[in-house]
Amino acid sequence: MKKIATVDAVGHVLCHDITRIVKDVVKDAAFRKGHVVTEEDIPLLLSLGKDHLYVWEKNENMYHENEAAEILYEICRNENMHPTPVKEGKIELIADCDGLFRIDVERLDAINELEDIMIASRHTNYAVHKGDKLIGTRVIPLIIEKEKMARAKEVAGNKPLAELLPYKNIRCGIVTTGSEVFYGRIQDTFTPVIEGKLAAYGIGVSGHITVNDDQEKITAAILKLKEDGADMIVCTGGMSVDPDDLTPSSIRATGARVVTYGAPVLPGAMFLLAYMEDGTPIMGLPGCVMYAKATVFDLVLPRVAAGVEITKKDIARMGNGGLCLGCKECHYPACGFGKGV
């Protein structure tokens, strides 16, 4: 770049966008990169506080900010996302579908530790909708050394930094446990909550069985739902450590591999996750899911809906951000709950 007085800039090519900001009226580029300055432009440029301008002098060892943003976009991009046009050295990635957004946090951190480079993203494992912003990229200076961008590509490696996984077309079986519901002593208010949460991810209910507090019957209900084609199974009730609460032992009796009984999340500590031999997930849901706006189920369900297998380590990481503050007016997911994972 070469710095020259604005009054002497007629005929020169701008090497960066120049923004015009009028409070509550406009914030946009008054002049774009590549614009050839005319005599008529000078008064407006001066009114924008531009007594000097930077015009482009091509240097084979440097990238312009727009060129650098394209490189950062290439580092991030994956299927089911598209870029915005480069503007003021920035490119954003936009979701092409509903799904689970994930980003490699370790590689993201490593890139952001590099000088003069930034990538900002949504939290990993975040449920997004078509049209949502996912990532923003840019470099800090107007021009940047090609060597720095090469380093960013080296740190990123050959695998895209982010991914957007569409939700699978799956069906869920529901097992309601508890003698009080089975014998009609109280109304089942749990199942409608589950059905509503499933519907948000396009998950239909393939079957619903209500049983009393009997381990053999609970186990048989799970296996029956699986036989009838359920792609996932949730069990409600009977998840505490009381002797009469038999759901955890009933899930184990199916032969499923238990990933965890217990999660570092409040509400939702008594959550159980298991997988059958073919990968079908079984979840034991604590009572808080019935009445709390956001629980461990809300953190796990988007991953299950996207077909992601959840590990013990994934559950352990939920402790960072896993404490719901119980706000008087719940704003989940626009809050910190679950955002450390």
Side-chain angles (χ1 to χ4, degrees), residues 146-214:
K146 290 184 177 180
E147 181 183 355
K148 290 183 178 179
M149 300 309 301
R151 176 60 180 155
K153 290 193 287 185
E154 179 184 346
V155 171
N158 297 322
K159 183 180 178 181
L161 200 62
E163 62 182 354
L164 176 55
L165 304 176
Y167 300 129
K168 304 289 186 180
N169 182 22
I170 60 180
R171 301 187 302 160
C172 178
I174 302 174
V175 178
T176 298
T177 70
S179 298
E180 67 278 19
V181 177
F182 181 75
Y183 291 110
R185 297 167 188 154
I186 66 170
Q187 182 181 359
D188 176 16
T189 56
F190 210 146
T191 300
V193 172
I194 300 304
E195 290 174 337
K197 290 183 181 291
L198 294 173
Y201 299 96
I203 301 173
V205 176
S206 62
H208 177 209
I209 301 175
T210 302
V211 295
N212 60 353
D213 294 312
D214 183 302

Side-chain angles (χ1 to χ4, degrees), residues 223 226 251 254-258 274-282 309:
L223 295 176
K226 172 59 183 172
I251 293 174
T254 66
R257 171 179 56 88
V258 176
Y275 286 96
M276 304 184 86
E277 188 175 352
D278 67 349
T280 300
I282 306 174
E309 182 171 332

Side-chain angles (χ1 to χ4, degrees), residues 56-280:
W56 184 247
E57 286 187 319
K58 190 65 175 176
N59 184 328
E60 64 180 14
N61 296 318
M62 307 291 288
Y63 284 122
H64 183 272
E65 61 176 353
N66 287 358
E67 297 171 306
E70 293 282 358
I71 293 172
L72 294 178
Y73 159 67
E74 291 294 331
I75 286 173
C76 295
R77 77 181 181 97
N78 208 331
E79 296 178 350
N80 304 313
M81 56 185 76
H82 70 271
T84 59
V86 62
K87 181 178 179 181
E88 297 177 316
K90 179 174 67 176
I91 293 178
E92 294 176 339
L93 281 75
I94 308 299
D96 289 333
C97 64
D98 293 357
L100 180 72
F101 172 72
R102 309 213 303 172
I103 193 161
D104 189 321
V105 176
E106 289 188 7
R107 285 191 293 149
L108 174 66
D109 290 347
I111 291 172
N112 281 328
E113 288 174 2
L114 300 175
E115 186 179 10
D116 292 335
I117 292 173
M118 63 130 292
I119 299 174
S121 82
R122 285 180 178 260
H123 290 281
T124 192
N125 289 313
Y126 198 90
V128 300
H129 298 288
K130 181 178 180 180
D132 283 350
K133 293 181 182 180
L134 304 176
I135 299 173
T137 71
R138 72 168 302 155
V139 295
I140 306 306
L142 293 172
I143 58 172
I144 188 170
E145 295 90 341
K146 290 184 177 180
E147 181 183 355
K148 290 183 178 179
M149 300 309 301
R151 176 60 180 155
K153 290 193 287 185
E154 179 184 346
V155 171
N158 297 322
K159 183 180 178 181
L161 200 62
E163 62 182 354
L164 176 55
L165 304 176
Y167 300 129
K168 304 289 186 180
N169 182 22
I170 60 180
R171 301 187 302 160
C172 178
I174 302 174
V175 178
T176 298
T177 70
S179 298
E180 67 278 19
V181 177
F182 181 75
Y183 291 110
R185 297 167 188 154
I186 66 170
Q187 182 181 359
D188 176 16
T189 56
F190 210 146
T191 300
V193 172
I194 300 304
E195 290 174 337
K197 290 183 181 291
L198 294 173
Y201 299 96
I203 301 173
V205 176
S206 62
H208 177 209
I209 301 175
T210 302
V211 295
N212 60 353
D213 294 312
D214 183 302
Q215 179 174 308
E216 291 185 1
K217 291 180 180 178
I218 298 172
T219 300
I222 295 171
L223 295 176
K224 172 62 174 172
L225 290 169
K226 172 59 183 172
E227 181 183 348
D228 290 345
D231 303 299
M232 62 178 285
I233 298 167
V234 298
C235 302
T236 66
M239 288 303 301
S240 79
V241 294
D242 293 343
D244 290 338
D245 288 337
L246 304 174
T247 301
S249 60
S250 301
I251 293 174
R252 288 190 174 93
T254 66
R257 171 179 56 88
V258 176
V259 175
T260 185
Y261 176 28
V265 178
L266 291 173
M270 305 305 292
F271 171 77
L272 186 149
L273 173 66
Y275 286 96
M276 304 184 86
E277 188 175 352
D278 67 349
T280 300

